[in-house]
Amino acid sequence: MASNAHLPAAHAAEVVREFGPYPGAPAVHGVSHDGDRIWAATALGLLAIDPASGEVQRTLPCAADAGTAFDGRHLYQIADSQIQKIDPQSGRVVGTIPAPSGQGSDSGLTWAEGSLWVGQYRDRKIVQIDPETGAVRRTIESNRFVTGVTWVDGELWHGTWEGDESELRRVDPTDGAVIERLAMPANVGVSGLESDGAGLFYCGGGGSGKVRAVRRPGRA
């Protein structure tokens, strides 16, 4: 595991709520937020979760192997070596592009600035791609496995999970330098990350089957 000695000190992540696990969905592979609902990628497909009640409102059956994103109209879902574009109303797949690794090793997914941003787990990279073609626009390297990625208010964050340690990290989008670290509780993993655009991050909990809400650090 790469050393964190040269990085900013980590602060404890404040987990404010847990959702799940849900019947038939023993693991969470990715997370998104459409402004109203949390979307969790599971073995059942995509679960739309009401963040107020924690109840599953809808299930969209689809292959949901890793990260999930929402562009304001469509959902995007990593399915093996592809990224599927999904109509959230009908659940119909309306387009497909290749995922950047081409090997099924892509992890996180988010939408920002007219691009999809893809976390690559063992490659320890974040890749910005064209949502229509999958062409790579930018690659950012990390020193940890990347398990989720999100943008909020111009800040790029990604999840890490190695061994028993998981963090949420804010990084410089130009060179990947770590700016801020939030350490998750011991033995709590992060398998997917998305901001609600306000004060919370939603984190997939891997094999726990849970989605956790983490308070985003305030800004002066």
Side-chain angles (χ1 to χ4, degrees):
M1 188 183 299
S3 171
N4 290 327
H6 63 293
L7 300 181
H11 299 279
E14 183 182 358
V15 179
V16 297
R17 187 168 179 187
E18 292 186 341
F19 305 86
Y22 296 97
V28 175
H29 309 302
V31 177
S32 190
H33 190 275
D34 67 6
D36 294 315
R37 295 166 296 189
I38 307 162
W39 290 88
T42 73
L44 297 175
L46 283 166
L47 307 183
I49 302 167
D50 179 356
S53 67
E55 296 180 355
V56 175
Q57 297 180 323
R58 297 182 60 198
T59 300
L60 296 183
C62 64
D65 301 325
T68 311
F70 182 70
D71 70 356
R73 182 180 177 191
H74 292 99
L75 291 161
Y76 294 81
Q77 179 58 54
I78 295 175
D80 194 24
S81 61
Q82 297 182 326
I83 298 174
Q84 296 182 333
K85 184 178 182 179
I86 299 171
D87 180 345
Q89 301 305 316
S90 66
R92 187 168 62 91
V93 176
V94 298
T96 300
I97 59 173
S101 76
Q103 302 173 351
S105 60
D106 302 281
S107 51
L109 190 64
T110 197
W111 173 275
E113 304 173 340
S115 295
L116 285 169
W117 296 74
V118 184
Q120 294 187 314
Y121 180 58
R122 291 195 177 277
D123 291 339
R124 304 184 180 192
K125 294 178 180 177
I126 299 169
V127 183
Q128 178 188 13
I129 65 171
D130 185 316
E132 298 299 324
T133 66
V136 174
R137 292 172 170 171
R138 189 190 328 185
T139 300
I140 302 167
E141 296 192 358
S142 174
N143 74 337
R144 287 293 180 96
F145 293 155
V146 177
T147 58
V149 59
T150 191
W151 280 90
V152 56
D153 293 341
E155 298 178 354
L156 176 61
W157 289 78
H158 76 82
T160 74
W161 185 1
E162 292 193 37
D164 296 332
E165 298 180 3
S166 282
E167 294 182 358
L168 308 184
R169 290 183 167 188
R170 179 162 69 98
V171 299
D172 187 323
T174 61
D175 60 11
V178 178
I179 300 170
E180 189 171 6
R181 300 164 61 204
L182 300 179
M184 296 294 282
N187 300 312
V188 170
V190 174
S191 61
L193 175 66
E194 188 69 288
S195 164
D196 68 351
L200 294 176
F201 293 117
Y202 290 103
C203 305
S208 72
K210 296 182 178 181
V211 174
R212 295 181 173 90
V214 173
R215 194 179 307 283
R216 179 186 167 209
R219 300 289 179 237

